[in-house]
Amino acid sequence: MTSTPRPIILTGDRTTGPLHLGHYAGSLRARVALQHEARQFLLLADTQAMTDNVGRHQKVTGNVLEVALDYLAVGIDPALSTIVVQSQVPELAELFQYLLNLVTVARLERNPTIKEEMRLRGFERDIPAGFLTYPVSQAADITAFKATHVPVGDDQLPMIEQTNELVRRFNHTVGQPVLVECEAVLSQVARLPGVDGRAKMSKSLGNAITLGATPDEITRAVNAMYTDPNHLRVNDPGQVEGNVVFAFLDAFEPDTAKVAELKAHYRRGGLGDTALKRMLDERLQALIAPIRERRAEFARDRAEVLGILRRGTMRAREAAAQTLSEVKGALGLRYFEG
Amino acid sequence: MTSTPRPIILTGDRTTGPLHLGHYAGSLRARVALQHEARQFLLLADTQAMTDNVGRHQKVTGNVLEVALDYLAVGIDPALSTIVVQSQVPELAELFQYLLNLVTVARLERNPTIKEEMRLRGFERDIPAGFLTYPVSQAADITAFKATHVPVGDDQLPMIEQTNELVRRFNHTVGQPVLVECEAVLSQVARLPGVDGRAKMSKSLGNAITLGATPDEITRAVNAMYTDPNHLRVNDPGQVEGNVVFAFLDAFEPDTAKVAELKAHYRRGGLGDTALKRMLDERLQALIAPIRERRAEFARDRAEVLGILRRGTMRAREAAAQTLSEVKGALGLRYFEG
């Protein structure tokens, strides 16, 4: 027992595809470290993924196991972290429904993340109700586990704000501090670009390196990486900014002095793309090989992985049921007890 | 076993106050008759009542038992009908969340019932998300029990339309006929006016006669009833239309020939309001006395009533869980089975 309570982290992923190096750099790596310091819930957010994948539910459900494999492959330890399948925790749906009364439609539409997603998807007024309200569903996930810390990108800050608004509104309504406000934990790591130089690595854009990538796939991806289009001859000075190879070295080469040296060399000329890419290739092969192997190992024992998910989900249900019981108690909804 | 399947009825009430003669004439009486012919689920809709009673949750939860007492007092037989407390059926919240993905915000806002309620409550864009989406919650209630028939007033027809749209959309999405369309059953009975002549009897308007009304309360209400303001002397011709006493006689006097005679007499003059009201008073005293007594009897045994609700809710959960299991199966969400 320590004097300060152990932080509770809620994080997770929509299950729409296997994870890639962008996830590894941006979140997975940190989760592996954090599982020793905090109580960590990792949500396989299939219900949330359904909100904008109507008619593509097989994609969502078929990737639950894939993402779980990615978690286990990178070193998430089910004895330390709780891996939860969202759809299998009915308490989250109940809490969602109660929170839904505490926010107006206008407020949801002002959420910048939703506004941006509406724009990107061309939804306008045809936005599905489940999609408009998914920040409330997220708030239910966060508060059900009484999470104190939620790792997010800065585009997700409005979600945390909305969650804390709901927490305050609920506690004020029932006159008791039942739910707990959370703190956003901003990633310290720059977002990993796609292989093609686009700002975001994404499987659907075809510019990703997945965590199960074969040696060949890695080499091909590295060779295809966008560098400096004006760096035509080895001896020309090259540009480091916007150069995908350096973005990857920044993310995955622990020897920062070496990376600084390489950047200086590249800038002044004399370091060719081929040599540079060979170095990155070696680094990525070394990084991914054990992940790929562990992933394949777990993939061979599907029943064992399902068992891990079942046990994690049961543990999560206990925590969520406790919160829901407090919520329903505060609202006077526990007719059949006492 | 009959060749045509037994109809399944879903109906119920928001638990915002004890029921009154308007409910009795409009729905309760029919439910008592129907429980012999159909499988009937009566929903104590506390979750739905919460959607526009934030901060007044005690009013909602405190009336669950009151409405249950009203049901039992009028002759709902828990061996024939299933009385269900909505908030205690988590399956409804889960189904609600899946259906929410199948309807757009624009479609919900076009729902005439919602539009009218938004106008009445002055909600505009400040409508709570839970309120905008409550027709989806109703659709979840209806479809969870695979109700084939839903008794409604004509102002509720858009709700049934919306439910059936969701049913078709869901079945189309999963490519299987999982959910069942329902049929609206329109009440044959004219809506009972308030004692004061206003179109709607309502406890909050103070123009209602509750099912537990004392003899004195009944007499006072009848004496206060709005009749024909131009019918000043007994011998004057009187007007039957808009005359609350006749509306009540139409609703509660089984001897229709007698009512027709009274109307003719009143119209040609010679039948005074006092005599007429005395007849109605007698009729209502005879109607309410046994209801009031049964109500008081059940009210003395709160534990027994809670037991009835618990057992009904358990039975309802079994039915809803079966449907939810089919829904989740069709979406591929039953990872931990088979």
Side-chain angles (χ1 to χ4, degrees), chain A residues 15 46-47 50-52 54-55 57-58 60-62 64 85 87-90 92-94 96-98 100-109 125-133 137 169 173-174 302 306 309-310 313 328 330-337, chain B residues 15 46-47 50-52 54-55 57-58 60-62 64 85 87-90 92-94 96-98 100-109 125-133 137 169 173-174 302 306 309-310 313 328 330-337:
Chain A
T15 57
D46 54 351
T47 311
M50 292 271 183
T51 63
D52 58 342
V54 168
H57 44 275
Q58 287 99 339
V60 172
T61 57
V64 165
V85 184
S87 65
Q88 309 302 309
V89 185
L92 299 176
E94 283 192 85
F96 164 68
Q97 199 167 9
Y98 293 116
L100 215 47
N101 299 331
L102 302 178
V103 60
T104 68
V105 174
R107 174 66 184 86
L108 288 171
E109 287 174 343
R125 304 298 302 142
D126 278 343
I127 183 171
F131 190 78
L132 179 71
T133 55
S137 171
R169 186 94 201 274
T173 300
V174 299
R302 194 188 147 89
L306 278 173
L309 297 187
R310 191 191 286 110
T313 301
K328 290 177 95 164
L331 289 170
L333 288 166
R334 280 183 357 211
Y335 311 109
F336 299 150
E337 296 163 44
Chain B
T15 57
D46 55 350
T47 311
M50 291 270 183
T51 62
D52 57 344
V54 168
H57 43 276
Q58 286 100 341
V60 173
T61 56
V64 166
V85 183
S87 65
Q88 309 302 309
V89 185
L92 300 176
E94 283 191 84
F96 163 69
Q97 200 167 9
Y98 293 116
L100 215 47
N101 298 331
L102 302 178
V103 59
T104 67
V105 174
R107 175 66 185 86
L108 288 172
E109 288 174 341
R125 305 298 301 141
D126 278 343
I127 184 171
F131 191 77
L132 180 72
T133 55
S137 170
R169 186 92 202 272
T173 301
V174 299
R302 195 188 147 91
L306 278 173
L309 297 187
R310 191 191 285 110
T313 301
K328 291 176 93 164
L331 289 170
L333 289 166
R334 282 189 347 217
Y335 312 109
F336 299 149
E337 296 162 44

Side-chain angles (χ1 to χ4, degrees), chain A:
Chain A
M1 290 264 262
T2 52
S3 53
T4 41
R6 210 161 163 234
I8 301 175
I9 293 177
L10 179 87
T11 180
D13 295 277
R14 291 190 177 211
T15 57
T16 50
L19 303 184
H20 52 60
L21 281 183
H23 297 106
Y24 185 77
S27 56
L28 295 177
R29 202 160 39 173
R31 293 178 194 170
V32 173
L34 280 168
Q35 65 187 342
H36 300 278
E37 299 162 26
R39 185 168 181 201
Q40 190 168 241
F41 292 93
L42 300 182
L43 200 64
L44 297 168
D46 54 351
T47 311
Q48 190 185 310
M50 292 271 183
T51 63
D52 58 342
N53 281 291
V54 168
R56 295 185 296 272
H57 44 275
Q58 287 99 339
K59 184 178 107 176
V60 172
T61 57
N63 277 302
V64 165
L65 209 76
E66 294 301 315
V67 177
L69 288 174
D70 289 328
Y71 285 178
L72 297 168
V74 298
I76 293 294
D77 179 348
L80 298 173
S81 294
T82 305
I83 308 180
V84 190
V85 184
Q86 189 184 27
S87 65
Q88 309 302 309
V89 185
E91 290 80 7
L92 299 176
E94 283 192 85
L95 186 53
F96 164 68
Q97 199 167 9
Y98 293 116
L99 294 181
L100 215 47
N101 299 331
L102 302 178
V103 60
T104 68
V105 174
R107 174 66 184 86
L108 288 171
E109 287 174 343
R110 275 201 309 275
N111 183 319
T113 313
I114 291 288
K115 267 165 95 166
E116 173 63 8
E117 303 252 14
M118 280 168 79
R119 199 188 59 75
L120 279 175
R121 288 172 169 74
F123 272 150
E124 299 295 332
R125 304 298 302 142
D126 278 343
I127 183 171
F131 190 78
L132 179 71
T133 55
Y134 95 73
V136 184
S137 171
Q138 281 195 329
D141 301 337
I142 294 169
T143 56
F145 301 117
K146 298 201 170 166
T148 56
H149 293 81
V150 182
V152 289
D154 48 12
D155 57 331
Q156 292 282 311
L157 283 175
M159 296 302 199
I160 302 301
E161 209 178 295
Q162 183 126 69
T163 296
N164 286 337
E165 269 179 44
L166 284 166
V167 168
R168 287 190 294 267
R169 186 94 201 274
F170 182 84
N171 290 347
H172 175 79
T173 300
V174 299
Q176 306 169 42
V178 173
L179 300 181
V180 174
E181 286 192 54
C182 67
E183 215 173 283
V185 183
L186 278 169
S187 174
Q188 300 303 318
V189 186
R191 172 175 276 184
L192 197 69
V195 164
D196 56 1
R198 278 200 267 192
K200 201 178 171 177
M201 177 175 281
S202 148
K203 188 146 190 297
S204 59
L205 295 175
N207 63 4
I209 301 175
T210 63
L211 296 173
T214 63
D216 256 17
E217 286 169 341
I218 296 168
T219 302
R220 256 182 288 131
V222 171
N223 287 341
M225 272 182 190
Y226 181 88
T227 56
D228 173 1
N230 300 315
H231 185 237
L232 300 174
R233 280 162 305 196
V234 171
N235 287 328
D236 286 344
Q239 203 178 315
V240 164
E241 290 68 32
N243 189 316
V244 173
V245 181
F246 279 109
F248 272 65
L249 285 171
D250 279 335
F252 300 114
E253 175 51 63
D255 186 346
T256 52
K258 181 179 161 193
V259 176
E261 208 177 282
L262 287 171
K263 284 179 181 175
H265 192 175
Y266 195 80
R267 281 197 176 103
R268 71 176 177 266
L271 175 57
D273 280 5
T274 312
L276 189 68
K277 284 183 168 177
R278 198 175 309 124
M279 272 183 273
L280 177 63
D281 185 50
E282 273 168 34
R283 184 72 209 95
L284 292 187
Q285 297 288 359
L287 174 74
I288 291 179
I291 296 178
R292 183 179 53 236
E293 276 160 39
R294 260 199 309 269
R295 200 180 191 288
E297 223 169 278
F298 279 112
R300 275 191 293 275
D301 198 351
R302 194 188 147 89
E304 164 63 8
V305 178
L306 278 173
I308 289 171
L309 297 187
R310 191 191 286 110
R311 288 189 293 276
T313 301
M314 292 309 288
R315 207 152 59 217
R317 280 198 70 176
E318 276 169 37
Q322 171 60 32
T323 303
L324 184 67
S325 169
E326 293 168 23
V327 162
K328 290 177 95 164
L331 289 170
L333 288 166
R334 280 183 357 211
Y335 311 109
F336 299 150
E337 296 163 44

Side-chain angles (χ1 to χ4, degrees), chain B residues 31-107:
Chain B
R31 293 178 195 170
V32 174
L34 281 167
Q35 65 187 342
H36 300 279
E37 300 162 27
R39 186 168 182 202
Q40 188 167 243
F41 292 93
L42 300 182
L43 200 63
L44 296 167
D46 55 350
T47 311
Q48 190 185 309
M50 291 270 183
T51 62
D52 57 344
N53 280 292
V54 168
R56 295 185 296 272
H57 43 276
Q58 286 100 341
K59 183 177 105 175
V60 173
T61 56
N63 277 302
V64 166
L65 209 76
E66 294 301 315
V67 177
L69 288 175
D70 289 329
Y71 285 177
L72 297 168
V74 298
I76 294 294
D77 179 348
L80 297 173
S81 295
T82 305
I83 309 179
V84 190
V85 183
Q86 189 184 26
S87 65
Q88 309 302 309
V89 185
E91 289 79 8
L92 300 176
E94 283 191 84
L95 186 52
F96 163 69
Q97 200 167 9
Y98 293 116
L99 294 181
L100 215 47
N101 298 331
L102 302 178
V103 59
T104 67
V105 174
R107 175 66 185 86

Side-chain angles (χ1 to χ4, degrees), chain B residues 231 234-238 260-271:
Chain B
H231 184 240
V234 170
N235 289 327
D236 286 346
E261 210 177 282
L262 288 171
K263 284 180 180 173
H265 192 177
Y266 194 81
R267 280 196 176 106
R268 68 176 180 265
L271 176 56

